[in-house]
Amino acid sequence: MFKNLRGIFSNDLSIDLGTANTLIYARGKGIVLNEPSVVAIREEPGRAGKRIEAVGQEAKNMLGRTPGHITAIRPMKDGVIADFTVTEKMLQYFIEKVHGNRLIRPSPRVLICVPYGSTQVERRAIQESAEGAGARWVRLIEEPMAAAVGAGLPVHEARGSMVLDIGGGTSEVAVISLNGIVYAASVRIGGDRFDDAIINYVRRNYGILIGEATAEKIKIEIGSAYPGQQVKEISVKGRNLSEGVPRSFTLNSNEILEALQEPLAGIVGAVKVALEQTPPELGADVAERGIVLTGGGALLRDIDKLLMEETGLPVVVSEDPLTCVARGGGRMLELIDEHGPALFNLE
Amino acid sequence: MSEAMTLTPASHDTDVTPGELLKRAREEAALTLQEVADELRLDLWMLEAIEANRFQALGAPVYARGYLRTYATHLGVPVDEVLRRYEALEDLPQEPEPIPAAMATTLRERRRSLRGPLLAMLALVVVAGLVYLALDVFLFASKTEDANAGTAGGAVEHNASNETQLPLVQPVSAVASVNDSHDAHTTEVDALLAQATDVNVPSSEMTGASPMTSSGPAPVEARLEFTGESWVEIYDATGARLLFGMGTPARARTVSGTPPLQVILGAASAVRLQVNGQPVVIPRREGREATRFTIEADGTLR
């Protein structure tokens, strides 16, 4: 009853609860929040409890730089909840931040995007943490569908459209036709695996240890998926494992390309399997129109070229790929309001 | 050379469509459409459509923009420039509506059928709220009435008689004002006092008087003298509780209220009753101390 009353003062939200970033799309307002899914927790020795020190960007800046009594953690791993309570607190923080109203605790309707491959237990955990965060109505939608709607694919047509969403924790490839998913697969490879690959590469070849934040910076600045004409360089600092002191060194884009080969091969493999499994009629449609890339991974330089060479199909990067899933979820919220909940396969 | 100058994408010649821009760039690079198509894995007709600015043929905008971007990148033409010119075009492909019209109508009907029960429930809630409010007001009113009558009956009998006799004030004061030349206010007070003290004695005489009873039954006064302990409950016709409690020996209580009065006595043998100043015999059943009877307007017991 009170949740419904509070709901009058709340917006409808579509949340892309990602491993790397959480995006919130408020109905009628657009993307209102885009923050890293990181929470910093302070251990309080006097009391039994833990306290949230920071959430989002502020907490991300603390990653790997915290003293003993503060831990900066990422409560989502591989697209699913790794720490239930912290995820709930994070969601609550984000929902309240979006509303910016301290007087009435918000109780919005929420549509959350979950990876296609997530299990029932994992979905249940996400749903419950959203309810715990104050949402009065929670529905889950599979990420590839939201990504396709957000990218503006003609999902309702009797024509196959293929979307590849490369997120922080998972990559999802799906063939969609007539408002439904015909084939989808999820691999637990994403931006985080790219970072790990860079860390491992640097340790193996230089004997230097770098942190996650540095690895991500390297990936964003010089990372590429396909050999290009120009070679870029970046100077970074890390701890030399044998000497034990920080050292500065230079990496170039070809080295990073080499480092990323393994995770990229995993994604290409998933796309190839998807093409194999797609019914022939829809496969022909995909071959004509091509694959649409969404998600933060689509921003990796020349990843479209790599997929184009590997599959022999045209590959298109969508507009603003980072926000595609959240925008798609928001669009679906509007459609559900207009046409009823039977429209999409909601949970 | 001059031709090359016009080809430079930096030129702010907005008349140049994205198709023309790309076509010139391709011709400058000495590439055939087929070569580009093979390189980009696009069908030949798609590139022809782009160069002819027939973007509708390419389907959803995500594809049109995507192909434009790929094509521009391949030729080394700045992507932003091409997309800006693309946005400036007139007939662009429409953003797809994920719901086909036919499907939308059936779903909308289903939704409407859901709205009925919701409205009904809302109406029910509103009605329930109104009923509750009405009950609340009624109960509150009767409670305060109860409280007034209770204190009056229990403690000061005269007050009670004043209150219940208020309807009588009007005619009496009218008589008084004829007799007396005081202002209306003092007359009324005098009349009230007169009633409180001696109106009950004549009231026994006017039991048969029709002019008084026509305006409402005259109140009856009951005086209870206790010789022993007895439980007493007396209610008047309005349901007001006049007396409720244990009567103790050597004490007398006088109550008055709108007849008929409901009386319950725990030990009838320990009570002597006078109605309107006249002693009456309390009706009892053989061998039973407790009794229950009614005092009528004319002072009779039943």
Side-chain angles (χ1 to χ4, degrees):
Chain A
M1 175 79 190
F2 287 113
K3 270 192 170 181
N4 280 332
L5 271 181
R6 294 208 310 268
I8 297 170
F9 302 97
S10 310
N11 294 312
D12 291 347
L13 305 178
S14 143
I15 302 181
D16 174 12
L17 189 59
T19 313
N21 293 293
T22 296
L23 282 93
I24 299 186
Y25 176 100
R27 220 182 120 179
K29 288 186 185 169
I31 301 284
V32 287
L33 183 130
N34 180 359
E35 295 221 30
S37 308
V38 185
V39 180
I41 295 166
R42 177 198 288 273
E43 303 268 356
E44 300 221 318
R47 289 160 24 199
K50 298 171 173 176
R51 249 192 54 218
I52 303 284
E53 180 74 17
V55 182
Q57 188 59 50
E58 203 184 331
K60 192 184 180 182
N61 294 341
M62 298 181 185
L63 260 184
R65 297 196 173 103
T66 50
H69 64 287
I70 297 177
T71 39
I73 58 166
R74 302 174 61 168
M76 306 287 292
K77 213 168 186 69
D78 296 337
V80 296
I81 290 180
D83 189 321
F84 187 83
T85 30
V86 176
T87 304
E88 191 178 310
K89 289 280 176 216
M90 183 177 78
L91 265 180
Q92 193 176 343
Y93 173 87
F94 285 150
I95 289 174
E96 280 176 11
K97 185 172 180 182
V98 163
H99 283 86
N101 183 353
R102 297 276 147 225
L103 211 63
I104 300 159
R105 233 180 102 226
S107 181
R109 293 196 310 165
V110 166
L111 188 72
I112 299 188
C113 309
V114 292
Y116 183 78
S118 57
T119 63
Q120 281 298 322
V121 177
E122 290 162 345
R123 288 173 190 214
R124 184 101 196 135
I126 289 182
Q127 177 153 17
E128 280 180 11
S129 74
E131 280 162 5
R136 73 175 190 284
W137 180 98
V138 182
R139 293 290 181 278
L140 304 180
I141 187 78
E142 279 152 349
E143 247 163 51
M145 194 70 204
V149 173
L153 291 180
V155 291
H156 69 282
E157 283 179 14
R159 171 197 284 271
S161 314
M162 185 180 259
V163 62
L164 171 62
D165 178 50
I166 307 171
T170 58
S171 293
E172 330 238 321
V173 57
V175 178
I176 290 165
S177 174
L178 291 170
N179 284 332
I181 292 174
V182 178
Y183 171 88
S186 176
V187 284
R188 300 203 164 182
I189 300 171
D192 289 353
R193 284 286 294 276
F194 294 162
D195 297 346
D196 287 347
I198 292 173
I199 292 173
N200 290 335
Y201 178 88
V202 171
R203 190 177 57 208
R204 217 171 36 240
N205 294 335
Y206 288 82
I208 288 174
L209 202 60
I210 55 170
E212 278 176 42
T214 310
E216 192 184 4
K217 189 177 153 209
I218 295 169
K219 175 184 74 181
I220 290 170
E221 294 204 358
I222 65 165
S224 75
Y226 196 77
Q229 289 99 344
Q230 58 191 46
V231 176
K232 291 182 176 180
E233 288 195 339
I234 187 172
S235 171
V236 287
K237 294 176 183 67
R239 174 158 57 90
N240 189 310
L241 284 169
S242 56
E243 296 171 29
V245 286
R247 285 270 176 270
S248 179
F249 62 104
T250 308
L251 284 169
N252 69 43
S253 52
N254 283 339
E255 287 172 304
I256 301 307
L257 176 66
E258 194 186 327
L260 296 179
Q261 278 314 301
E262 194 211 325
L264 285 173
I267 292 175
V268 170
V271 173
K272 283 185 173 168
V273 170
L275 288 168
E276 235 176 79
Q277 301 286 329
T278 306
E281 279 301 326
L282 298 176
D285 295 335
V286 172
E288 188 186 288
R289 298 284 172 184
I291 305 166
V292 174
L293 296 185
T294 68
L299 294 172
L300 184 67
R301 214 158 284 107
D302 288 338
I303 194 163
D304 51 340
K305 209 161 182 183
L306 171 79
L307 286 163
M308 201 165 74
E309 294 297 330
E310 291 285 339
T311 60
L313 303 180
V315 177
V316 160
V317 179
S318 69
E319 291 294 310
D320 201 1
L322 264 174
T323 63
C324 260
V325 172
R327 276 187 290 126
R331 182 89 188 88
M332 288 168 88
L333 257 181
E334 283 161 23
L335 290 168
I336 287 164
D337 255 17
E338 277 173 42
H339 306 296
L343 196 54
F344 298 100
N345 203 6
L346 294 174
E347 281 184 45
Chain B
M1 191 63 208
S2 64
E3 197 189 10
M5 282 305 289
T6 56
L7 284 176
T8 51
S11 67
H12 291 283
D13 184 4
T14 45
D15 292 342
V16 179
T17 60
E20 286 165 26
L21 194 71
L22 289 170
K23 189 175 182 182
R24 284 190 214 167
R26 177 178 61 81
E27 283 165 353
E28 193 191 15
L31 291 168
T32 64
L33 269 179
Q34 190 60 55
E35 281 168 335
V36 177
D38 288 348
E39 189 69 28
L40 299 179
R41 270 65 174 187
L42 291 172
D43 290 349
L44 199 59
W45 67 265
M46 289 178 173
L47 291 180
E48 282 166 353
I50 290 175
E51 293 196 348
N53 296 313
R54 287 185 289 109
F55 294 105
Q56 301 272 14
L58 298 174
V62 58
Y63 292 118
R65 294 174 69 99
Y67 299 153
L68 257 183
R69 189 177 296 159
T70 329
Y71 194 2
T73 317
H74 183 67
L75 294 175
V77 178
V79 175
D80 294 341
E81 181 70 21
V82 176
L83 286 179
R84 194 176 60 75
R85 284 161 198 257
Y86 164 77
E87 299 292 354
L89 288 179
E90 292 288 311
D91 53 341
L92 293 177
Q94 293 294 309
E95 198 71 43
E97 176 68 35
I99 311 302
M103 196 175 171
T105 48
T106 54
L107 284 164
R108 211 169 273 151
E109 273 164 21
R110 196 178 305 167
R111 189 178 154 80
R112 201 169 291 152
S113 69
L114 259 176
R115 214 172 274 166
L118 261 176
L119 275 177
M121 238 172 83
L122 197 76
L124 204 73
V125 165
V126 168
V127 166
L130 282 176
V131 165
Y132 174 76
L133 267 177
L135 268 178
D136 203 42
V137 166
F138 175 75
L139 281 177
F140 179 72
S142 64
K143 244 181 239 167
T144 47
E145 221 169 75
D146 235 27
N148 284 345
T151 51
V156 193
E157 302 89 326
H158 288 304
N159 276 357
S161 69
N162 283 349
E163 270 178 40
T164 44
Q165 284 171 0
L166 268 179
L168 291 177
V169 165
Q170 218 43 50
V172 175
S173 66
V175 175
S177 60
V178 173
N179 295 343
D180 214 306
S181 58
H182 281 117
D183 65 85
H185 181 72
T186 43
T187 333
E188 232 172 75
V189 172
D190 286 347
L192 274 172
L193 285 173
Q195 268 179 345
T197 48
D198 57 13
V199 81
N200 289 313
V201 183
S203 76
S204 67
E205 294 161 12
M206 60 186 202
T207 44
S210 50
M212 283 303 184
T213 44
S214 65
S215 67
V220 281
E221 190 189 72
R223 182 180 162 81
L224 294 98
E225 283 171 22
F226 296 92
T227 53
E229 282 191 341
S230 169
W231 179 258
V232 193
E233 285 178 43
I234 302 178
Y235 302 93
D236 75 355
T238 62
R241 198 162 67 189
L242 304 180
L243 199 58
F244 183 88
M246 192 63 101
T248 46
R251 276 202 61 189
R253 303 292 296 268
T254 309
V255 294
S256 77
T258 323
L261 303 181
Q262 299 284 336
V263 184
I264 298 170
L265 294 176
S269 58
V271 183
R272 277 204 296 271
L273 177 67
Q274 291 181 359
V275 177
N276 292 338
Q278 307 291 318
V280 289
V281 179
I282 297 168
R284 285 176 62 185
R285 281 162 65 189
E286 264 322 297
R288 298 285 289 272
E289 279 292 311
T291 182
R292 181 190 289 265
F293 56 91
T294 310
I295 303 173
E296 294 294 340
D298 55 1
T300 55
L301 304 189
R302 259 193 321 121

